[in-house]
Amino acid sequence: MVKKIAVIGAGINGISCAVQLQQKFKGAVEVVVISEEFSPNTTGDGSAGLWGPYLMGNTPNDKVYKWSKSMHDFLKEIWLSDKAGEAGVCLLPAIRVTLQDGNIWENVVYGCKPLTQKQLDSLNEGRVNKFTRGHFFTTFTSEPLKFIPFLTKMFLENGGKFIKRRIQNLNEFSTFCDYDIIVNCTGLGSKVICGDNTMQAIRGQVSRVKANWIYCAFLDEADEGNYIIPNTESVVLGGTHQINDFNTSVYKEDSEFIHKGCRDVLPGLKNVPTLFQWVGLRPGRPQVRLEPEVFLTEKLLSIIMDMEGVG
């Protein structure tokens, strides 16, 4: 019988998993989150929080759809509650344009409609690489600066516990049997903790500006595209996805690329004040790994060997 679960990592993935586990077991299981860093010092804290699958590699479409819809439903539940403001969950109209075909989540978001050729032509004025497809839709944002503290509060109120500890290898858990299940949510840390050499950093740089008159997101999903994503107190301008770049310092050339590209889309951004710039390292992998693995601790192995008459 499962009695105690450890979630490693306190970013948006870890804290979300911990809350979901509490809800599934409804107080029958103790859930502990173990992490070296906590909000506001996680990668997720700097993101814009717009719902949508991104940089999923060759993860099967059916899995991407299932996981993405589950998160969309979770955000909908919060948005319909009296906790939406505290959680930073908002409905936001968005325009997504791309140079390629393909979209597996059109029936998940609200009011998804393809852009007309006339609308695409308007967006393509002055562009060398023309957008070939675009959609208008409405979806959720879960602003991390509010959403992660909201989930943290929910986790603690439901009896959750935090342990500040750096885990360098899953074998550290082999010396004790305190946890029946270990959930690894360390993101890029899995490169060391699990010895997963397919993990790679995907460097993302953004700027936060003061532009409260923007109420619609714009997403250019070309390789060198920009995005504009409003939050409640600021607007996030992006962005980059530089593979295997571990530098968390702000690059001047990236700042220029971000601001110029976003101003080309929305000229009114020219004179808005920049609040701050930020760099985070997304966890990248050829495909998402979500699978169970049997892990025998030394104590459990000793019990099994005794039962087998070994040793």
Side-chain angles (χ1 to χ4, degrees):
M1 179 181 295
V2 177
K3 293 183 179 180
K4 197 169 183 179
I5 300 175
V7 177
I8 310 175
I12 185 61
N13 192 13
I15 196 65
S16 297
C17 286
V19 168
Q20 289 289 307
L21 287 167
Q22 286 179 325
Q23 292 181 348
K24 179 176 178 61
F25 289 102
K26 300 187 183 303
V29 171
E30 181 181 352
V31 182
V32 176
V33 172
I34 304 173
S35 183
E36 181 182 13
E37 296 289 351
F38 296 88
S39 181
N41 299 316
T42 74
T43 300
D45 283 283
S47 67
L50 182 71
W51 175 92
Y54 184 57
L55 299 176
M56 301 297 287
N58 58 3
T59 305
N61 283 345
D62 59 332
K63 291 184 177 181
V64 175
Y65 179 87
K66 178 182 177 181
W67 299 330
S68 301
K69 186 178 186 307
S70 176
M71 185 62 185
H72 197 273
D73 292 344
F74 179 57
L75 294 175
K76 175 184 176 181
E77 181 181 344
I78 295 174
W79 186 74
L80 291 173
S81 75
D82 61 353
K83 302 294 185 181
E86 178 186 356
V89 175
C90 306
L91 266 181
L92 182 73
I95 296 172
R96 174 184 179 268
V97 288
T98 180
L99 303 178
Q100 301 175 347
D101 291 338
N103 188 350
I104 65 170
W105 43 262
E106 292 177 11
N107 66 338
V108 177
V109 295
Y110 303 117
C112 188
K113 295 181 180 180
L115 298 183
T116 66
Q117 188 58 52
K118 182 178 180 180
Q119 290 169 327
L120 285 171
D121 290 342
S122 177
L123 290 169
N124 281 328
E125 287 184 9
R127 287 184 56 87
V128 175
N129 297 318
K130 308 293 186 181
F131 300 126
T132 59
R133 189 176 182 186
H135 288 83
F136 175 83
F137 57 92
T138 301
T139 190
F140 292 105
T141 53
S142 50
E143 187 173 346
L145 293 176
K146 292 185 178 182
F147 193 54
I148 297 179
F150 169 78
L151 292 178
T152 299
K153 178 182 176 182
M154 182 186 300
F155 174 69
L156 293 174
E157 288 178 346
N158 289 334
K161 296 180 181 179
F162 287 119
I163 296 177
K164 185 174 177 60
R165 176 179 172 183
R166 182 179 185 182
I167 303 296
Q168 300 189 55
N169 194 302
L170 288 181
N171 289 327
E172 293 179 32
F173 288 91
S174 67
T175 57
F176 50 88
C177 287
D178 287 353
Y179 304 104
D180 301 291
I181 296 175
I182 299 168
V183 183
N184 176 29
C185 296
T186 54
L188 189 57
S190 293
K191 187 177 184 69
V192 174
I193 291 174
C194 299
D196 187 347
N197 291 324
T198 67
M199 292 294 306
Q200 53 191 1
I202 304 179
R203 181 182 177 277
Q205 180 172 320
V206 299
S207 292
R208 281 190 180 264
V209 300
K210 192 71 173 177
N212 290 30
W213 43 272
I214 298 177
Y215 292 96
C216 182
F218 179 85
L219 314 168
D220 174 359
E221 297 199 357
D223 285 342
E224 298 298 327
N226 294 94
Y227 57 79
I228 302 167
I229 304 175
N231 279 179
T232 53
E233 301 297 331
S234 63
V235 176
V236 180
L237 308 181
T240 66
H241 54 277
Q242 296 144 336
I243 297 176
N244 271 338
D245 187 337
F246 287 80
N247 194 327
T248 56
S249 299
V250 172
Y251 293 161
K252 181 181 178 181
E253 57 270 30
D254 285 345
S255 298
E256 293 172 350
F257 161 76
I258 289 169
H259 285 270
K260 180 183 183 304
C262 291
R263 287 197 302 266
D264 287 346
V265 174
L266 199 58
L269 288 168
K270 181 177 181 180
N271 296 315
V272 298
T274 298
L275 300 176
F276 62 89
Q277 300 180 80
W278 178 87
V279 176
L281 303 180
R282 307 179 185 93
R285 201 174 184 276
Q287 68 177 26
V288 176
R289 183 185 179 192
L290 179 61
E291 58 189 30
E293 184 177 350
V294 176
F295 187 80
L296 297 178
T297 64
E298 289 182 0
K299 289 183 180 180
L300 183 56
L301 185 59
S302 176
I303 292 171
I304 293 174
M305 291 176 68
D306 285 342
M307 293 176 64
E308 296 287 339
V310 180

